[in-house]
Amino acid sequence: MKILDKVKLPDGLKSLNNDELIVLSEDLREVITEYTLSNGGHLASNLGVVDLTCAISYVFDFPKDKLIFDVGHQCYAFKILSGRLENFKKLRQKDGLSGFPKREESDFDAVNSGHASTALSIGCGMARGNASGQVICLIGDGAMTGGLFYEALNDALTLDKKVIVIINDNNKSISDNVGFVNDYLKIVRKYGNEISLPNIETITNIDGHNIADLIGKLKYAKNLDKSIILHVVTQKGKGAQFAEENPSKYHSVGKSCDKLCYGQIFGQSLTEIAKTNNDIFAITAAMTDGTGLNEFSKTYPDRFVDVGIAEEHAVTMSAGLALAGRKPYVAIYSTFLQRAYDNVLHDVCLNELPVVLCIDRAGFVGGDGETHQGIYDVGYLGSMPNMSIFAPKDSEELKSVIQWSQNFSKPIAIRYPKSEVSFEYGKTAPIEYGKWERLVDANSNITLISNGDVLTNVYKAARTLGNLGVKVNVINARFIKPIDVTMLSNFTKDDTLFIFEEYTSSNSIYSQVLEFFNKSECYAKVYGVNVENKPYAVASREELIASVGLDADSIVSFVKSKINK
């Protein structure tokens, strides 16, 4: 570092001249690259916005002024410039810095934000509520593919309050941008056209890497007494050749899978069955690579749809595909599917359409913190009529349910984690609707029940308990909804069931089993361990699982504590 560690931030920034700001930007890129590659996180997007962030921080007065990021993952330079350089070394680590804006972390972070297209809505509210200082929304062009942006724009253009909108146009979401908005911005970039909107001034094609020019334009916006849109063109991955050449690959970096991850297995399986089923369509929301659909998109381009960051449209459009007699598979991260709640309920479930929701990043997601945990989908999907939910235990079961699902005539959600497959069981019973799989039959009155990736920990715990002289049965409750009432009916008051699930207790198997026993003549003693319904901060997936008692050692201790009473 040439200057970053010598400037007292944040106040010292404003004393720098333009040449020093350029050097500062170089230092920021060096630090961001080093610790993002080391700890994981969003690299290319942050490298592209460094110069713009320096200029914004130089011109405006934070935290009195409010900077709202959209998407929040482009905030790394701002975190450092607001005095968090030392803590940045623990980016995305337990007790370290979040990779997203976080109000609990600093007064400089105006709002906690990890999802796209929200900034202008927040900005309209802050301006309308007379928040202190100026309101600045830094919006990536990818976020402009989300419908919420246009709902907010409709409001902002008639709002008698000032909001500064900065469009960070790097021609990318995570994957390549798609649709009309992308085509329109290409024309603006190529020909220098103005973005023509009523009631608001726009300045287009500002060089996002010319700090002096950026400062001039930002000062103009600051001194204006009305709203303005600044269209700033940046290069994603700027300053790191490998990220400039492959910005999608380096959008987000982290530990690579030594074996195939669940998402990759899903993508391969869907590509395989699509060879013989021409009705299969794959739909995603700006997550082609992340959901494992890269191969499918190249093999069947006419049956692949990337709608941009528009989860609501992805789900409802898939309902239309199903109405047209097609078989849509909608691949969306658990955290982003939340945005399409009503679309799933109203358009898919109430119409009882054969749409398959392929929910990646289900369960705990290490490193991303509160905004990206996939622990809520069972709670809301389980409340919907006509919806079934399945959690495969390993790669073979995931392949099996993808194959089976193409002939299923109602809505179903298949949920799986971000991680690689941690254990292969070597056997998978044929999928039968609503039926569980007995993995271990120890002729015991103690039964451990689980599903998905955490079943691996339960399976390991069962072996440990066996070595301690405690024989237990193990059931793979792969259908979360409906539960296997036939199997449950065989239990008696002499049996003890332990249920372990990596999601909140609402509509969990535990809650359904309690309800089933309450309404039936069957009875067994039931204990459950679920994820507590609260926000979960940055930590590794393993740390998060252990924190809620779902690691193998905790499972052993929990079972022993109950049977020894």
Side-chain angles (χ1 to χ4, degrees):
M1 288 184 283
K2 299 176 183 177
I3 195 171
L4 180 57
D5 56 350
K6 300 176 179 63
V7 179
K8 187 175 180 180
L9 296 170
D11 297 335
L13 175 69
K14 296 182 184 298
S15 65
L16 302 180
N17 60 38
N18 187 67
D19 290 340
E20 290 171 326
L21 288 172
I22 292 173
V23 175
L24 178 67
S25 290
E26 294 171 355
D27 284 352
L28 284 168
R29 287 192 171 92
E30 179 183 319
V31 170
I32 289 170
T33 300
E34 177 182 356
Y35 290 107
T36 306
L37 289 177
S38 172
N39 299 348
H42 295 87
L43 181 59
S45 51
N46 277 289
L47 293 177
V49 80
V50 164
D51 303 308
L52 177 55
T53 305
C54 282
I56 291 172
S57 299
Y58 183 87
V59 170
F60 292 96
D61 302 308
F62 304 113
K64 178 184 176 182
D65 294 330
K66 311 300 179 189
L67 179 58
I68 310 164
F69 285 93
D70 195 352
V71 178
H73 63 235
Q74 58 185 329
C75 67
Y76 291 6
F78 186 71
K79 284 181 180 265
I80 296 171
L81 293 175
S82 56
R84 287 172 270 180
L85 172 60
E86 192 60 32
N87 288 337
F88 193 79
K89 297 173 183 178
K90 290 194 69 177
L91 174 71
R92 301 177 82 251
Q93 306 295 300
K94 186 178 181 182
D95 302 321
L97 284 189
S98 169
F100 297 90
K102 189 172 181 180
R103 296 166 63 209
E104 298 86 345
E105 192 177 285
S106 171
D107 290 339
F108 282 74
D109 293 350
V111 61
N112 297 5
S113 60
H115 292 186
S117 312
T118 62
L120 190 52
S121 290
I122 295 287
C124 286
M126 283 187 166
R128 187 172 271 121
N130 296 319
S132 66
Q134 307 235 15
V135 177
I136 306 104
C137 300
L138 178 54
I139 302 173
D141 55 321
M144 293 173 63
T145 60
L148 183 59
F149 170 80
Y150 297 96
E151 296 176 33
L153 183 64
N154 184 55
D155 182 24
L157 292 177
T158 56
L159 179 65
D160 190 24
K161 300 284 184 177
K162 180 183 176 182
V163 178
I164 298 173
V165 178
I166 302 172
I167 298 173
N168 172 29
D169 182 2
N170 62 23
N171 193 29
K172 291 282 182 181
S173 292
I174 294 176
S175 305
D176 290 338
N177 274 338
V178 297
F180 167 78
V181 174
N182 178 55
D183 293 341
Y184 179 72
L185 288 177
K186 282 181 179 177
I187 294 171
V188 172
R189 288 193 299 269
K190 183 174 182 179
Y191 298 107
N193 296 32
E194 289 296 315
I195 298 174
S196 180
L197 293 169
N199 305 323
I200 193 167
E201 181 179 353
T202 63
I203 302 176
T204 58
N205 277 343
I206 302 168
D207 184 350
H209 304 297
N210 184 328
I211 293 180
D213 188 41
L214 285 167
I215 288 174
K217 297 295 194 304
L218 290 167
K219 283 183 176 179
Y220 173 78
K222 180 180 181 179
N223 295 325
L224 210 61
D225 61 359
K226 58 184 179 179
S227 295
I228 185 172
I229 295 176
L230 303 178
H231 169 245
V232 179
V233 179
T234 63
Q235 181 180 11
K236 193 168 184 177
K238 177 72 173 178
Q241 184 176 352
F242 59 89
E244 291 178 2
E245 293 175 351
N246 199 339
S248 293
K249 178 180 179 180
Y250 290 99
H251 170 83
S252 180
V253 297
K255 178 186 175 184
S256 59
C257 294
D258 296 326
K259 299 180 288 185
L260 286 177
C261 295
Y262 277 95
Q264 294 170 308
I265 295 164
F266 154 71
Q268 291 178 359
S269 301
L270 193 65
T271 303
E272 181 65 27
I273 66 171
K275 291 179 180 178
T276 55
N277 188 339
N278 292 326
D279 288 330
I280 287 177
F281 275 69
I283 300 93
T284 190
M287 296 285 182
T288 304
D289 293 331
T291 56
L293 288 173
N294 195 42
E295 181 184 356
F296 189 104
S297 69
K298 295 175 180 178
T299 308
Y300 307 108
D302 293 338
R303 290 189 276 153
F304 172 76
V305 185
D306 180 355
V307 298
I309 307 177
E311 293 84 1
E312 301 95 327
H313 173 57
V315 171
T316 299
M317 188 270 293
S318 297
L321 279 169
L323 287 166
R326 303 295 185 155
K327 184 70 178 184
Y329 286 73
V330 188
I332 298 178
Y333 295 1
S334 174
T335 184
F336 300 136
L337 185 61
Q338 296 160 187
R339 299 155 67 90
Y341 176 96
D342 181 63
N343 309 80
V344 175
L345 174 59
H346 182 270
D347 303 322
V348 174
C349 289
L350 295 186
N351 283 287
E352 205 169 344
L353 295 173
V355 174
V356 183
L357 300 178
C358 304
I359 306 176
D360 204 325
R361 272 64 168 174
F364 282 121
V365 178
D368 283 334
E370 297 90 335
T371 59
H372 281 62
Q373 303 301 349
I375 57 177
Y376 309 109
D377 54 87
V378 169
Y380 63 81
L381 291 174
S383 69
M384 297 183 183
N386 302 317
M387 174 60 73
S388 300
I389 309 173
F390 189 99
K393 69 180 186 294
D394 61 9
S395 65
E396 289 306 311
E397 195 160 74
L398 176 56
K399 294 175 186 176
S400 182
V401 74
I402 294 298
Q403 174 73 32
W404 173 87
S405 65
Q406 63 182 318
N407 297 315
F408 188 62
S409 61
K410 295 182 180 181
I412 187 169
I414 303 169
R415 63 187 311 274
Y416 42 88
K418 176 182 180 180
S419 61
E420 63 186 30
V421 179
S422 56
F423 185 76
E424 296 286 2
Y425 292 82
K427 61 177 182 178
T428 294
I431 306 252
E432 186 178 350
Y433 181 66
K435 299 300 180 183
W436 294 347
E437 177 187 33
R438 187 176 288 271
L439 279 180
V440 177
D441 190 347
N443 193 27
S444 171
N445 290 329
I446 302 171
T447 300
L448 311 187
I449 299 173
S450 188
N451 57 47
D453 190 64
V454 82
L455 179 64
T456 301
N457 295 340
V458 173
Y459 194 69
K460 291 177 181 177
R463 289 181 172 178
T464 301
L465 287 165
N467 292 334
L468 296 173
V470 181
K471 293 183 178 180
V472 297
N473 310 311
V474 179
I475 289 174
N476 171 25
R478 50 195 184 180
F479 274 98
I480 300 171
K481 181 187 178 187
I483 57 175
D484 190 340
V485 295
T486 302
M487 186 176 287
L488 288 169
S489 297
N490 292 324
F491 291 109
T492 71
K493 60 182 178 62
D494 297 323
D495 290 304
T496 302
L497 310 184
F498 292 88
I499 304 173
F500 301 94
E501 302 171 88
E502 195 188 343
Y503 37 83
T504 58
S505 61
S506 178
N507 295 310
S508 65
I509 291 173
Y510 175 59
S511 66
Q512 292 180 77
V513 168
L514 290 177
E515 183 177 3
F516 169 74
F517 283 146
N518 185 51
K519 292 181 177 180
S520 70
E521 296 180 358
C522 306
Y523 178 76
K525 187 178 291 185
V526 182
Y527 296 102
V529 176
N530 289 87
V531 176
E532 185 181 351
N533 191 355
K534 68 174 187 178
Y536 287 86
V538 169
S540 70
R541 174 170 162 78
E542 293 73 22
E543 288 169 333
L544 290 165
I545 286 174
S547 74
V548 298
L550 289 173
D551 61 297
D553 289 341
S554 296
I555 291 168
V556 170
S557 297
F558 183 77
V559 172
K560 287 171 61 181
S561 71
K562 300 303 181 184
I563 63 176
N564 290 332
K565 282 187 175 180

